[in-house]
Amino acid sequence: MKKLAIRNSALAVALMFTLGVTLASAQDGSGHHKMGGFGMMRGLSRLNLTDAQKNDVRQIMDAKKATFESLHQQARANWDALQTVSESSSPEPAAVGAAFLKLKASRHALQTERESVMQQIRPILTTDQKNQLDTMKQEHQQRLQERMETDGPPGR
């Protein structure tokens, strides 16, 4: 009975994580392969950047492109490993947990790198562009929160 409870708990964690990854991917814009692989350019394009600003942003993004590709590949490999271990006929909770933590760490590394890039880009922007970017980010977070409240946790 205890093994079944542990197994069900591990599967529930894996399912919750799957939802989180799916939502995070949607948040990323999933335009992963353009300009460093993290969908920032789509949001920045709405700021009406000058040609000089576009050039500066492009240089920052080009400098980080290899890093993002590497981090994305690692996250994808960790995701595949989690799916493999959790979809086996008898998943071991410890293995599922370890795979989950590896994936969580790789996603955190990607997020940290994104934040670092934005810290490099913000000084390039005018005050109005920074305010517009902050507003867009808040609206996006609000839409994401509303989606989470509407959809609820998996298995509902």
Side-chain angles (χ1 to χ4, degrees), residues 91-139:
E92 287 196 30
V96 172
F100 169 79
L101 292 175
K102 277 184 81 172
L103 179 57
K104 184 177 177 183
S106 60
R107 302 255 333 142
H108 179 72
L110 274 164
Q111 181 63 31
T112 300
E113 196 64 32
R114 281 187 200 102
E115 290 169 3
S116 170
V117 167
M118 283 310 297
Q119 292 304 315
Q120 293 176 37
I121 291 173
R122 283 188 74 84
I124 296 168
L125 304 176
T126 66
T127 302
D128 288 341
Q129 289 169 327
K130 289 176 189 175
N131 291 338
Q132 187 178 359
L133 182 64
D134 292 341
T135 299
M136 289 178 352
K137 185 175 181 179
Q138 288 172 345
E139 290 170 352

Side-chain angles (χ1 to χ4, degrees), residues 10-106:
L11 290 174
V13 168
L15 286 173
M16 288 183 351
F17 187 76
T18 301
L19 175 64
V21 168
T22 302
L23 291 174
S25 294
Q27 178 181 3
D28 292 343
S30 290
H32 291 316
H33 303 292
K34 294 184 180 175
M35 293 307 295
F38 43 99
M40 274 187 214
M41 288 305 288
R42 190 179 72 204
L44 292 173
S45 68
R46 295 176 24 199
L47 299 178
N48 298 320
L49 300 176
T50 65
D51 288 340
Q53 287 174 313
K54 289 177 187 176
N55 187 45
D56 290 345
V57 168
R58 194 170 322 281
Q59 287 177 355
I60 292 168
M61 302 293 255
D62 286 346
K64 292 292 188 171
K65 186 174 183 175
T67 301
F68 275 104
E69 287 176 357
S70 173
L71 289 171
H72 187 269
Q73 287 175 352
Q74 185 61 49
R76 186 66 186 153
N78 289 341
W79 170 250
D80 291 343
L82 174 61
Q83 284 202 303
T84 298
V85 98
S86 66
E87 291 175 353
S88 71
S89 61
S90 180
E92 287 196 30
V96 172
F100 169 79
L101 292 175
K102 277 184 81 172
L103 179 57
K104 184 177 177 183
S106 60

